[in-house]
Amino acid sequence: MSIRASLFYLGMKLSGMKKVYLYEEDKFLRIVRRMNQSRGFYMPKDKKAFYFDHMIFGKYHCLVIQNNRQQAKRAILYFFGGGMMLGSDKGDVSVAGKLAKETGCDVWFPNYPPCTDHCITESYDMAFECYRQMIEQYGVQSGKIYAARQDRRAGVHDFHVQRRLHRHQ
């Protein structure tokens, strides 16, 4: 396990964050909804990349991050953590931007609807529609589209995606 992951686990343990999963359903949902009040779609204003708000089904945001004005040859469908209950935050967007820069790929960052307020199949449908639209844009050839996710072991997943991408260059 990496030092970064070890420190994260230690922080989670000390904060008592995992205890939230032991609460009764009503209390758990109240806590998650409160956390989501400060989260949601975020369009960066920096000049580190080109950012686009790509709408899915006309109502869900998908942040597309490109290193250049022109579309890259490959793309990553990037899922942030949160178990489809928590929305993304600025830190998640920052990680997606770094992934785009380090791999040279466009990154599609779907802001799927949290299943605390929507049926989880809506979240799945939104994610699959993102992927379908990516196939239309980038093609179906092997090595064109990758999936990555961020969770407690995000560094490990990002490393594997980057290693596979470099093999296909």
Side-chain angles (χ1 to χ4, degrees), residues 105-137:
C105 295
D106 295 343
V107 173
W108 286 48
F109 183 64
N111 194 355
Y112 39 80
C115 66
T116 52
D117 299 317
H118 301 268
C119 180
I120 195 161
T121 58
E122 260 184 90
S123 301
Y124 292 154
D125 289 345
M126 189 271 189
F128 282 121
E129 180 62 16
C130 266
Y131 183 63
R132 190 193 65 72
Q133 290 183 22
M134 290 174 75
I135 289 172
E136 281 182 5
Q137 280 193 240

Side-chain angles (χ1 to χ4, degrees), residues 41-55 61-80 88-111 130 134 137-138 144 146 150 165:
F41 182 74
Y42 167 69
M43 178 67 78
K45 294 180 179 26
D46 62 49
K47 304 293 182 201
K48 296 177 183 176
F50 295 94
Y51 305 99
F52 306 96
D53 182 7
H54 184 83
M55 297 301 289
H61 298 278
C62 178
L63 179 64
V64 178
I65 304 170
Q66 295 179 316
N67 292 307
N68 303 304
R69 277 237 182 256
Q70 289 187 318
Q71 176 179 300
K73 293 180 181 175
R74 300 173 302 174
I76 297 171
L77 179 57
Y78 180 72
F79 296 102
F80 57 91
S88 65
D89 61 19
K90 292 179 182 181
D92 298 320
V93 174
S94 175
V95 170
K98 288 176 187 172
L99 190 59
K101 185 175 183 171
E102 291 173 9
T103 62
C105 295
D106 295 343
V107 173
W108 286 48
F109 183 64
N111 194 355
C130 266
M134 290 174 75
Q137 280 193 240
Y138 298 91
K144 290 284 188 176
Y146 293 85
Q150 178 182 359
L165 286 170

